[in-house]
Amino acid sequence: GAVVSQHPSRVICKSGTSVKIECRSLDFQATTMFWYRQFPKQSLMLMATSNEGSKATYEQGVEKDKFLINHASLTLSTLTVTSAHPEDSSFYICSARDDVAGGVDGTDTQYFGPGTRLTVL
Amino acid sequence: GQNIDQPTEMTATEGAIVQINCTYQTSGFNGLFWYQQHAGEAPTFLSYNVLDGLEEKGRFSSFLSRSKGYSYLLLKELQMKDSASYLCAVYTDSWGKLQFGAGTQVVVTP
């Protein structure tokens, strides 16, 4: 089946530092990837749509200068949280959409990475 | 705006059946997904409906009525491992943008 990896799985950093999170589609190509944020006991909130070879599209209220997204290849997107603060502590999850119509399992589904737990002290 | 509603929590006993309802009002509709999410983990795909009707997949079934903006996920023969959050999500455009409901926490008791 389709696999999406994220690295790191967990990161703890000091306030003011930048953190980079990688999202990779391992066995399929993904022109489009998505970044979500999830706070405890809440649902996933879409932050931005990452498109290979072009600028990301950010959802309303998400600061593009704070959350830098780079989609350099068909299998890799990165999210950099710049100058992280404690309120940025959250579970960050990426998903990738299979470029092949129907996807691996015959549906037009997105495949989620395992998530990255960010804690900013 | 986008509005996707589902109950916050449901409790059922092992072996029973539980139905999780989801109603949606979105600016676009290109399909509806159900995902299962255990605490601290990423969502895993359960089902996808784009046409009206029932989709059955083992112990899980999902129903969609586009005219009513309504879907449900039916979990049969509940097992303890089914205790998780179940997320209803709508594809709101053709590029794959998903809007999620807040999730329904299902608690399975012995």
Side-chain angles (χ1 to χ4, degrees):
Chain A
V3 178
V4 175
S5 69
Q6 267 185 255
H7 178 79
S9 57
R10 189 179 295 267
V11 59
I12 301 172
C13 67
K14 292 181 179 179
S15 187
T17 60
S18 293
V19 175
K20 181 188 277 189
I21 303 170
E22 291 186 350
C23 176
R24 292 182 186 272
S25 58
L26 297 186
D27 47 6
F28 64 97
Q29 291 186 333
T31 301
T32 304
M33 294 185 177
F34 302 89
W35 287 96
Y36 296 85
R37 181 167 52 182
Q38 186 176 34
F39 292 106
K41 298 190 185 295
Q42 295 186 25
S43 192
L44 280 76
M45 296 298 295
L46 180 65
M47 298 176 65
T49 303
S50 172
N51 299 297
E52 188 269 339
S54 64
K55 289 183 179 179
T57 305
Y58 291 81
E59 294 301 296
Q60 197 170 8
V62 177
E63 300 174 57
K64 62 180 181 181
D65 293 330
K66 181 168 182 63
F67 299 99
L68 301 179
I69 291 172
N70 186 299
H71 196 144
S73 76
L74 290 174
T75 59
L76 173 65
S77 175
T78 60
L79 169 71
T80 302
V81 183
T82 61
S83 187
H85 291 286
E87 58 265 30
D88 298 323
S89 298
S90 187
F91 192 47
Y92 291 86
I93 306 175
C94 72
S95 72
R97 191 182 186 196
D98 195 327
D99 283 349
V100 174
V104 171
D105 56 12
T107 67
D108 192 17
T109 190
Q110 293 179 23
Y111 304 98
F112 285 84
T116 297
R117 175 76 57 193
L118 171 64
T119 303
V120 184
L121 304 176
Chain B
Q2 321 282 22
N3 207 30
I4 301 174
D5 291 318
Q6 48 183 131
T8 305
E9 185 170 315
M10 302 183 75
T11 301
T13 53
E14 207 171 0
I17 298 173
V18 70
Q19 177 175 314
I20 307 169
N21 296 323
C22 171
T23 57
Y24 62 90
Q25 286 179 302
T26 55
S27 56
F29 181 84
N30 283 285
L32 187 143
F33 291 86
W34 285 95
Y35 287 90
Q36 180 192 61
Q37 186 180 28
H38 286 99
E41 299 179 11
T44 54
F45 169 75
L46 289 179
S47 70
Y48 171 62
N49 293 72
V50 65
L51 300 175
D52 289 352
L54 187 69
E55 292 280 343
E56 296 189 81
K57 214 173 184 181
R59 294 190 298 115
F60 297 163
S61 304
S62 58
F63 171 83
L64 175 68
S65 170
R66 289 172 298 171
S67 62
K68 295 181 180 177
Y70 167 70
S71 172
Y72 68 72
L73 179 70
L74 195 69
L75 285 63
K76 293 178 269 190
E77 301 168 21
L78 279 173
Q79 301 175 9
M80 297 299 291
K81 67 178 182 180
D82 296 329
S83 291
S85 182
Y86 291 84
L87 307 173
C88 173
V90 174
Y91 257 165
T92 56
D93 64 18
S94 58
W95 293 102
K97 185 181 288 189
L98 274 177
Q99 295 289 343
F100 281 85
T104 298
Q105 186 67 41
V106 170
V107 178
V108 181
T109 59

